[in-house]
Amino acid sequence: MEPQATDPVESETVTPVVASADDPATLIAAAEALTNPPEFAALSMLLGRIALAKLDPLPERQVIARIKSATGIGMSVLTQQLAELRRRMNATGDPHAPIPKPAWFRRLRLDFTGAPERNEANVIVALTSLSPLAYHYQDRAEIEAVVQGTARDIAFDTLTANIGTALATDRTLGGLCDWVEAEAPRPVDLPVVGAASLEAAVIPVFLHYTTADPLA
């Protein structure tokens, strides 16, 4: 459910963030300095630096793999946390800044931890303050990557790296999606009679988006 356009939003002071100058080697060195178990502040700061650095997919995965080796934290957990930091950065400009809450959030009853209580009063406040339902979807698209020639491996790696760079540059596809991410391809060699073999793969791309009308 989405806030109405007329519903005011609390303003919060956001600390200005300067674009990161971190390169993969610097981030890998910082990852190797982490401990097991890690210090939360150091790990959070490093993930924020990665979010700001906007690395290509392969170097970014190498840095995350070093963090996993140093801390023992799984790749999926680190990737999810990095995605959350990027969501905050897109909303506020700072990966560590809280996302501003709508004004009606102050009318909710909170428990001792500061989280909204699960009760009927809070449900009524939320339902009367929000616009009609929004539908959240995850769809799968596919990119067919095919190369041919004597240097197929190099050409295929270059092609998939360019696809990854294009997706990483615009994770929302110009605002059409909330988030876009691809899975690693599994290339296969396809023999061609009388010609050089093909190297081909299907690259799955997952599209996360929200719409007010599931039939639109």
Side-chain angles (χ1 to χ4, degrees):
M1 294 186 290
E2 303 292 335
Q4 293 180 354
T6 57
D7 198 3
V9 176
E10 287 183 329
S11 60
E12 295 191 7
T13 301
V14 177
T15 303
V17 176
V18 179
S20 171
D22 285 324
D23 57 21
T26 302
L27 294 171
I28 286 175
E32 292 174 342
L34 296 174
T35 58
N36 185 359
E39 294 183 4
F40 174 78
L43 176 58
S44 178
M45 184 62 66
L46 179 54
L47 290 174
R49 289 167 60 187
I50 297 172
L52 289 168
K54 298 180 180 179
L55 302 176
D56 289 338
L58 180 57
E60 179 176 291
R61 189 167 183 83
Q62 291 173 339
V63 176
I64 296 175
R66 295 297 181 91
I67 296 176
K68 174 183 179 296
S69 299
T71 64
I73 299 175
M75 293 284 287
S76 61
V77 175
L78 294 170
T79 302
Q80 290 174 3
Q81 181 62 24
L82 186 57
E84 171 62 20
L85 292 177
R86 284 205 172 100
R87 189 172 72 90
R88 294 188 178 194
M89 185 176 68
N90 291 336
T92 68
D94 183 350
H96 300 293
I99 296 177
K101 298 180 177 63
W104 58 263
F105 187 84
R106 292 176 294 181
R107 308 200 323 255
L108 300 178
R109 298 178 182 177
L110 307 180
D111 61 21
F112 69 93
T113 67
E117 294 180 353
R118 296 185 177 182
N119 55 41
E120 185 177 358
N122 280 353
V123 172
I124 292 173
V125 169
L127 291 179
T128 56
S129 303
L130 295 173
S131 61
L133 287 174
Y135 298 86
H136 302 273
Y137 292 99
Q138 173 183 305
D139 281 346
R140 172 186 166 124
E142 293 182 345
I143 299 175
E144 295 183 355
V146 182
V147 297
Q148 186 177 26
T150 56
R152 293 190 305 276
D153 291 342
I154 296 175
F156 185 84
D157 290 344
T158 301
L159 175 60
T160 54
N162 289 339
I163 293 172
T165 299
L167 293 177
T169 300
D170 184 7
R171 291 288 186 183
T172 67
L173 297 184
L176 296 176
C177 296
D178 298 321
W179 186 256
V180 176
E181 59 185 353
E183 280 190 353
R186 297 179 179 177
V188 296
D189 287 330
L190 301 177
V192 177
V193 177
S197 298
L198 301 175
E199 185 165 351
V202 172
I203 304 175
V205 179
F206 295 93
L207 312 173
H208 303 264
Y209 62 95
T210 303
T211 178
D213 184 355
L215 300 180

